[in-house]
């Protein structure tokens, strides 16, 4: 199960991930043509700032996802193959309950369509567009276990060295 | 291999060498930059004050105004204006350098220079209002240099070179629209002022300000070409070589790279004097000067010096292992050169006090001691030659022939051989009868985003078979030189029947015994005004303005801010102007629309942004046909 992980200390808040996300979820998939499309394409990843730090915020595709639990129309569901939390637009009625319950605030509203939009981990790509576009490699896409293992090793070497 | 980097066979060969050596080149650095920032790509990043940087979200989800309230339209227009100002500063800096050189010469302070073309000196001086009667060439040069230097600062009247070289119709239009600059530096300064925080926020007004600055750019370029011709000679047709195969294994190879002939012409002129020193150092073929970029054009068209390579591939010259010195002045010189040279014996020699480079040898070149400066540089190259490692030498065999030096004077001279009383008549007759569809000026750079020369070569074939007469300047002419397009053989191979007939007749009239080359090499990038001079003469003869002529321009691989300022004045002069890369303006639909559509209503000229070279050629052909129709001429079919 691969997920997007963030190394916030590497983020420069250039917002390239936001643009790449909106481009990937457009028809033309081009920085020059996509911005003029209707309905307009929306990014599903965000860079926020708090206390002078730059923090990229992404859908965590939570195991016990509040958005899936709260969705009254059955639009939000878990993909059995990838474990990703996805939105079936044809079933979305635009009640925005998902927007209300998401602890990260990463479910957006496409108001021209009246549909919820969220990260789908770019199913057509080997690596999500945001990760592939990140110039500082603040974003990584890898197996959860691998990420945890690396974290443990980093911590261990810090303890050993310190 | 490397077809995504270049279609020039010598460049491709050297890219293979680079890969073996593990050398990092501009294409690698470009790959490392990817993806590039979308805000920058669309012109939606503003860094004009310390409250930024601000970014406007082109998708409309995030902020739509900067901290100050500037909209996408304002941010994009301000950014474009500053690029125009930078391009203008570069061209006019080059022009000012020539004016100072001429002034020093006239004052007896630069004895190594001469007035190579007194006839042009008197012609230009008279046109610019300098009284000639009874004055020596030196006196005239002093007054002309003074007049040139007065173009720069704040004036009481519009800049004189533009006023004396453009059509009355254009000048009237510019005057009515308030677009005539009162000084080149003044126009640049005004752009910097109006684009700083809290000044001009009206996107259309900003764009008009940019156009005013671009007209100042035209002025500086026209001035630069005139003064260069007076000091170094009006280019005459010359047969030269091109490609990296112009480097010689048994010679001290010196590349002159950059833009201004003030340095490079002196190096080229003095090199033969030190041939014996080179031979003594073991170089049996003496000294071999080659050119790179627009300096290459300057010395090719005046001295027949080979054009080794162009801007984007400049680093490859060092990788041949046979380049003993790379002598540079300013503009388009990659700071990476010294790093690339680390693995070789090549001396990178900077010469201008305002353009130095870490790791380079600096020889401060002063016009007062020009010959001694040039000799010092050549001696450094000879010293470096002694350290050349023969095992590292790899010179591609490719060496094309290129006919260069087709100045406006040359074109008129050739036409005069057909009709001495009315030189322009044969050209006009052939446009009217449809042998020639129209004229296209190719200009601009190579751009790392486009496989080197791909757009140039694709478009030239498409336009030539449609009987379009092609002029080229700058790295466009470099590209054509390196692909054998500046030859009669290319005319035989690629020209449509009408164009071939005309170029053959003119070639025979000129005594070549062969057609003129498929592309007329009109000069360096600062020489685009040579093409304007021809267009103005045609317009005046026909009694129409420039925006009615079947004349178009293209910078299919544009890269530099200078290309943006040239493109802008080309549009203002009334030319449909193609650009083969997307300029950073698409973040503002309004600015994009003004540049590509509204400009047509205002000036007749407009930008055509088309990345596909085949489609671009079709669009330029359609634009030429639209002009033909406007003049009541039959449209050309293909």
């Amino acid at each position: 199960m691969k997920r997007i992980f963030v190394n916030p200390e590497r983020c420069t808040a250039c917002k390239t991930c936001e643009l790449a996300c909106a481009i990937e979820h457009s028809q033309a998939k081009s920085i020059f043509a996509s911005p003029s499309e209707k309905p307009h394409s929306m990014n599903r990843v965000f860079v926020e700032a708090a206390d002078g730090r730059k923090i990229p915020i992404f859908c965590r595709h939570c195991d016990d996802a509040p958005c899936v639990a709260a969705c009254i129309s059955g639009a939000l569901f878990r993909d059995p193959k990838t474990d990703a939390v996805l939105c079936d637009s044809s079933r979305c009625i635009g009640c925005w309950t998902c927007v209300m319950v998401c602890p990260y605030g990463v479910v957006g509203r496409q108001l021209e369509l009246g549909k919820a939009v969220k990260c789908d981990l770019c199913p057509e790509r080997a690596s999500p567009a945001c990760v592939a576009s990140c110039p500082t490699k603040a974003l990584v896409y890898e197996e959860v276990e691998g990420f945890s293992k690396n974290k443990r090793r980093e911590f261990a070497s810090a303890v050993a060295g310190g | 291999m490397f077809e995504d980097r270049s279609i020039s066979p010598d460049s491709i060969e050297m890219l293979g060498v680079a890969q073996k050596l593990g050398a990092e080149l501009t294409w690698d650095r470009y790959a490392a930059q990817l993806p590039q920032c979308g805000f920058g790509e669309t012109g939606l990043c503003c860094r004009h004050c310390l409250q930024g940087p601000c970014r406007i979200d082109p998708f409309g989800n995030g902020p739509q105004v900067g901290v100050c309230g500037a909209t996408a339209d304002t941010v994009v227009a301000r950014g474009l204006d500053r690029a125009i100002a930078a391009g203008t500063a570069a061209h006019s800096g080059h022009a000012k350098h020539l004016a100072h050189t001429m002034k020093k010469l006239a004052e007896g302070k630069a004895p190594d220079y001469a007035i190579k073309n007194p006839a042009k000196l008197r012609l230009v001086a008279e046109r610019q209002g300098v009284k000639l009667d009874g004055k020596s060439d030196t006196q005239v040069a002093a007054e002309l240099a003074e007049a040139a230097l007065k173009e720069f600062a704040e004036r009481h009247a519009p800049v004189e070179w533009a006023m004396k070289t453009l059509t009355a119709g254009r000048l009237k239009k510019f005057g009515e629209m308030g677009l005539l600059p009162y000084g080149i530096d003044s126009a640049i300064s005004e752009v910097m002022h109006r684009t700083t925080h809290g000044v001009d926020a009206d996107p259309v007004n900003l764009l008009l300000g940019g156009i005013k600055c671009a007209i100042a750019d035209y002025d500086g370029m026209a001035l630069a070409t005139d003064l260069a011709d007076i000091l170094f000679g009006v280019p005459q047709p010359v047969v030269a070589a091109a490609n990296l195969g112009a480097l010689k294994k048994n010679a001290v190879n010196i590349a002159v790279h950059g833009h201004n002939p003030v340095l490079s012409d002196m190096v080229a002129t003095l090199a033969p004097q030190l041939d014996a020193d080179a031979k003594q150092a073991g170089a049996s073929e003496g000294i071999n000067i080659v050119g790179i970029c627009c300096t290459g054009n300057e010395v090719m068209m005046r001295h027949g010096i080979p054009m080794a390579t162009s801007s984007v591939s400049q680093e490859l010259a060092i990788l041949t292992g046979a380049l003993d010195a790379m002598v540079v002045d300013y503009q388009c010189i990659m700071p990476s050169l010294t790093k690339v040279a680390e693995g070789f014996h090549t001396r990178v020699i900077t010469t201008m006090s305002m353009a130095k480079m870490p790791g380079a040898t600096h020889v401060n070149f002063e016009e007062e001691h020009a010959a001694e400066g040039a000799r010092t540089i050549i001696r450094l190259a000879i010293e470096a030659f002694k350290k050349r490692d023969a095992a590292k030498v790899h010179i591609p065999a490719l060496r094309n022939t290129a006919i260069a030096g087709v100045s406006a004077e040359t074109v008129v001279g050739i036409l005069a051989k057909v009709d001495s009383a009315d030189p322009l008549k044969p050209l006009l007759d052939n446009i009217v009868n449809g042998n020639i569809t129209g004229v296209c000026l190719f200009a601009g750079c190579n751009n790392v985003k486009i496989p080197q020369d791909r757009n140039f070569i694709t478009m030239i074939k498409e336009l030539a078979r449609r009987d379009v007469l092609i002029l080229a300047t700058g790295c466009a002419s470099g590209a054509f030189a390196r692909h054998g397009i500046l030859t009669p053989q290319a005319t035989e191979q690629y020209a449509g029947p009408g164009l071939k007939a005309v170029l053959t007749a003119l070639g025979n009239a000129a005594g070549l015994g062969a057609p003129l080359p498929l592309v007329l090499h009109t000069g360096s990038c600062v020489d685009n005004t040579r093409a304007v001079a021809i267009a103005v003469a045609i317009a005046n003869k026909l009694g129409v303005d420039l925006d009615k002529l079947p004349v178009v321009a293209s910078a299919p691989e544009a890269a530099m801010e200078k290309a943006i300022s040239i493109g802008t004045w080309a549009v203002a002069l009334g030319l449909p102007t193609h650009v083969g890369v997307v300029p950073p303006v698409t973040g503002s639909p309004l600015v994009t629309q003004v540049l590509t559509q509204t400009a047509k209503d205002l000036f007749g000229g407009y930008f055509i942004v088309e990345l596909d070279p085949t489609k671009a050629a079709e669009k330029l052909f359609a634009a030429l046909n639209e002009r033909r129709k406007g003049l009541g001429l039959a449209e050309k079919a293909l």
Side-chain angles (χ1 to χ4, degrees), chain A residues 73-137:
Chain A
S73 67
L76 286 158
F77 68 102
R78 181 172 303 281
D79 180 26
K81 272 185 279 181
T82 62
D83 263 348
V85 173
L86 303 177
C87 179
D88 176 355
S89 279
S90 68
R91 302 182 77 163
C92 176
I93 58 168
C95 71
W96 316 131
T97 310
C98 51
V99 175
M100 201 159 58
V101 301
C102 173
Y104 297 98
V106 292
V107 182
R109 297 180 301 156
Q110 212 313 342
L111 293 175
E112 290 146 279
L113 299 173
K115 304 286 185 189
V117 287
K118 68 172 295 300
C119 171
D120 57 5
L121 293 176
C122 296
E124 292 168 18
R125 301 176 55 104
S127 179
C130 55
V131 176
S133 72
C134 180
T136 60
K137 308 284 179 271

Side-chain angles (χ1 to χ4, degrees), chain A residues 13-14 19 32 40-43 133, chain B residues 35 38-39 55 59 61 582 586:
Chain A
C14 71
L19 286 190
F32 304 116
H40 84 287
S41 186
M42 292 182 67
N43 53 299
S133 72
Chain B
F39 297 101
R55 287 147 306 167
F59 290 94
N61 303 309
V582 182
T586 57

Side-chain angles (χ1 to χ4, degrees), chain B residues 116-146:
Chain B
K116 288 267 174 65
N117 195 319
K120 184 153 187 176
L121 166 72
R122 289 184 172 268
L123 217 66
V124 171
E126 187 164 32
R127 187 193 70 206
Q128 295 306 128
V130 175
K131 298 255 185 301
L132 301 180
D133 36 308
K135 287 178 194 157
S136 69
D137 287 348
T138 309
Q139 283 170 308
V140 175
E143 287 185 37
L144 183 64
E146 208 48 57

Side-chain angles (χ1 to χ4, degrees), chain B residues 433-496:
Chain B
N433 71 20
N435 272 338
I436 294 175
T437 307
V439 181
C440 180
L441 168 66
F442 274 94
C445 338
N446 283 139
N447 184 318
V448 71
K449 294 177 178 176
I450 299 163
Q452 181 188 24
D453 305 336
R454 183 200 65 190
N455 288 2
F456 285 119
I457 301 306
T458 307
M459 288 181 73
I460 186 79
K461 290 177 184 170
E462 290 295 325
L463 289 173
R465 74 190 180 99
R466 290 174 168 87
D467 292 322
V468 177
L469 179 66
I470 314 280
L471 311 179
T473 59
C475 280
S477 47
F480 295 132
R482 286 180 290 101
H483 286 270
I485 304 288
L486 303 183
T487 58
Q489 291 77 12
T491 307
E492 300 283 6
Q493 196 176 350
Y494 300 116

